[in-house]
Amino acid sequence: MENILIVGGGFGGVKTALELSRKLSSKKANITLIDRNNYHLFLPSLYELASAYIVKTDPYQLKLRKTVSIPYEDIFKDTGVKVVQAQVEKIDLAKKEVITGGDAVFSYDHLVLGFGVETDTFGIPGAMEYTYKFKGIDEALFLNQRMLELYKKAANGRHSLPIKFIVAGAGFNGIELAGELAGCAENIKNACGLHHGCIDIQLIEAGPQILPMINDKERQIIRRRLEKIGIKILESSPIKEVGPNFVKIGEGGEKIFTDFIVWTGGVRASSFLQNITGLKLDAKGKVVVNPSLQAEGREEVWALGDNTVFLDPATQKPIPGLASVAIDQGAVIAENIKRIVLGEKKLETYHPEYGIWVAPVGGKFAVAHLNKSLTISGVPGWIIRQLVNLKYFLGILPVSRALSLMAEETEIFIKND
Ligand SMILES: Cc1cc2nc3c(=O)[nH]c(=O)nc-3n(C[C@H](O)[C@H](O)[C@H](O)COP(=O)(O)OP(=O)(O)OC[C@H]3O[C@@H](n4cnc5c(N)ncnc54)[C@H](O)[C@@H]3O)c2cc1C
């Protein structure tokens, strides 16, 4: 009987565990997934959560929380996968042990590392302390609540208008958040009886242009959409310092004063990995793997998703951190562990495919890049986005639960659009 331990129940960890439970009987393997939460966080909807406007809120925002947190119990019901809610604190590769909070020790024959990433502010003074970040539900809800408070204050004449937002970093996360904030602020402003022109959202990018990784035509579509919904774009504007109510652009440059600063400028591999003796990491702290996704020099340790570096053989550049990448890698790792457990010699190789993306840009508008020559934008793009989410829910949940989750999400988030 093999002990398979999966650390991190993100997109990659969940896929690995589900696939393994389908491929290996409980007589062959014990499959355990450890995560610090008891739910799988559906990160692509986190911005909707931060910017959702609900008139009747309960103190803990349970309804909102449920739309992005999928209980592991629902995912792994009847699968044989054991889920442990605990913070992993130490991994001893030599002893093949994982130690969690409370000093519980888990031995393994195969270990899958899916820790994801954490926010990186690149040492910019004040950026870690004074910006809102988006890696978890509480952070998203905190911003949501603060926005509502500030608009109420402004409606009572206790805060000056416009309410100002800075979104720092114009990658996919930055443009999505800026777009959602615009919709939310509009709704709150109307509900508070405030006038036009009381929202000011600036999207600040250090590089020469927003979304450097996409083509010019798509960039233009997104730029036009952002401007249409009132977002100001500042390019070639590196943030050098952040204070409680300002950002400073460029060396000795101007200070822009603001009410909210949201950091979407970057992420780095989980710093936890640095403490694992014997694990080979690249310069950015990500796990180096072979083409079968085994950690270099450790054939019983596997790594996937955002905490892993994998060079695209076609470009020799690291592939991007995407949910679909983590999912595909999870499938390959599950297949390879199954083969080893069943005594097969040949392992599968991971072939990266990440050409498709969908970027929501406020309201019922998204840009869907389906291949080099096919881009669909506007409401049809938004429908594609909804279908992508539904496909994911159907892949991890029973059909009725997937459909009800999709219906709940759509009902709540559509109010913001
Ligand atoms: C706001 C946001 C929006 C995004 N939108 C999209 C999108 O629209 N499309 C897309 O393709 N990608 C999107 N991404 C990127 C995508 O979510 C990631 O690429 C994907 O989540 C990576 O999956 P993963 O399995 O590597 O890690 P994650 O999904 O991040 O999972 C990591 C897991 O590890 C757990 N964990 C971490 N440390 C510990 C510890 N010490 N002990 C126990 N558990 C631990 C965490 O709780 C978490 O469950 C988005 C990311 C963010 C932040």
Side-chain angles (χ1 to χ4, degrees):
M1 177 75 88
E2 297 280 295
N3 277 331
I4 304 169
L5 207 53
I6 300 158
V7 181
F11 285 89
V14 163
K15 179 69 178 179
T16 313
L18 280 175
E19 286 287 313
L20 277 168
S21 71
R22 285 171 195 142
K23 288 170 189 276
L24 287 173
S25 78
S26 54
K27 290 193 185 115
K28 294 271 181 204
N30 288 319
I31 306 164
T32 306
L33 181 142
I34 306 181
D35 198 287
R36 58 182 163 215
N37 299 317
N38 62 0
Y39 57 81
H40 170 53
L41 180 58
F42 187 65
L43 282 163
S45 290
L46 204 60
Y47 291 127
E48 297 268 9
L49 187 79
S51 58
Y53 174 58
I54 300 192
V55 181
K56 283 183 194 160
T57 48
D58 70 78
Y60 300 106
Q61 312 255 36
L62 287 180
K63 209 171 168 188
L64 269 180
R65 283 173 190 270
K66 274 188 186 170
T67 57
V68 293
S69 52
I70 308 171
Y72 289 123
E73 203 184 335
D74 291 359
I75 298 174
F76 295 114
K77 198 169 174 229
D78 304 327
T79 63
V81 174
K82 184 178 162 202
V83 178
V84 176
Q85 184 185 358
Q87 175 85 15
V88 171
E89 298 200 330
K90 193 172 170 225
I91 295 182
D92 188 328
L93 296 183
K95 289 187 183 165
K96 295 193 188 173
E97 284 176 353
V98 169
I99 295 108
T100 65
D103 286 337
V105 178
F106 297 81
S107 303
Y108 62 80
D109 300 296
H110 290 277
L111 174 67
V112 182
L113 302 173
F115 282 103
V117 280
E118 56 194 31
T119 302
D120 192 359
T121 50
F122 311 110
I124 296 171
M128 199 50 101
E129 296 87 324
Y130 296 119
T131 61
Y132 290 88
K133 290 148 210 93
F134 279 102
K135 285 300 292 158
I137 296 182
D138 289 324
E139 291 164 318
L141 287 177
F142 185 61
L143 173 71
N144 188 289
Q145 207 148 339
R146 279 280 296 139
M147 271 169 69
L148 192 56
E149 279 166 20
L150 221 56
Y151 272 100
K152 280 187 179 156
K153 261 185 163 180
N156 294 329
R158 291 190 288 120
H159 193 283
S160 61
L161 288 170
I163 307 266
K164 294 180 182 168
F165 299 85
I166 282 178
V167 177
F172 282 113
N173 290 349
I175 59 142
E176 181 171 346
L177 176 66
E180 291 301 331
L181 283 178
C184 175
E186 185 71 23
N187 283 334
I188 298 180
K189 174 206 90 172
N190 291 340
C192 294
L194 292 166
H195 58 79
H196 282 296
C198 63
I199 307 162
D200 180 291
I201 302 174
Q202 303 201 50
L203 180 59
I204 298 185
E205 170 58 38
Q209 52 192 3
I210 61 166
L211 294 169
M213 66 299 272
I214 67 173
N215 69 42
D216 285 341
K217 188 180 135 216
E218 290 161 342
R219 191 177 307 104
Q220 275 315 319
I221 299 173
I222 291 174
R223 187 190 295 279
R224 273 200 302 274
R225 170 67 182 170
L226 288 169
E227 286 167 355
K228 187 173 175 206
I229 56 179
I231 292 158
K232 293 174 200 148
I233 302 169
L234 268 74
E235 290 160 324
S236 301
S237 303
I239 293 175
K240 295 292 179 185
E241 190 190 334
V242 180
N245 62 347
F246 70 87
V247 300
K248 199 163 163 189
I249 308 282
E251 289 303 343
E254 61 163 327
K255 271 185 183 175
I256 305 178
F257 288 90
T258 185
D259 297 298
F260 292 95
I261 310 161
V262 190
W263 187 261
T264 51
V267 289
R268 61 176 176 224
S270 170
S271 46
F272 178 83
L273 297 171
Q274 318 254 356
N275 303 328
I276 306 177
T277 309
L279 189 66
K280 180 146 188 235
L281 306 179
D282 77 344
K284 294 191 169 169
K286 296 188 171 192
V287 185
V288 178
V289 291
N290 68 17
S292 302
L293 302 175
Q294 287 159 306
E296 208 170 280
R298 292 271 166 191
E299 60 183 26
E300 75 286 6
V301 180
W302 309 77
L304 49 67
D306 286 0
N307 72 185
T308 305
V309 58
F310 194 93
L311 295 187
D312 187 336
T315 62
Q316 287 306 307
K317 288 187 181 158
I319 60 173
L322 289 171
S324 56
V325 165
I327 293 167
D328 290 350
Q329 292 181 333
V332 171
I333 290 178
E335 175 62 25
N336 283 340
I337 294 178
K338 179 207 86 178
R339 289 186 189 183
I340 292 175
V341 171
L342 298 184
E344 296 173 31
K345 292 269 181 295
K346 195 169 170 350
L347 296 186
E348 193 175 307
T349 301
Y350 168 64
H351 298 285
E353 275 178 37
Y354 50 91
I356 299 177
W357 52 261
V358 188
V361 202
K364 289 191 201 66
F365 187 107
V367 178
H369 171 99
L370 302 181
N371 62 39
K372 274 188 185 144
S373 51
L374 184 59
T375 304
I376 295 177
S377 61
V379 176
W382 178 81
I383 292 169
I384 291 174
R385 161 77 167 200
Q386 300 300 98
L387 292 174
V388 170
N389 288 359
L390 179 60
K391 181 172 173 249
Y392 182 65
F393 296 154
L394 286 168
I396 62 164
L397 290 167
V399 175
S400 61
R401 177 74 184 93
L403 292 177
S404 71
L405 177 61
M406 194 67 209
E408 281 162 31
E409 264 214 345
T410 309
E411 188 212 329
I412 292 185
F413 297 152
I414 221 162
K415 287 184 189 147
N416 202 30
D417 292 340

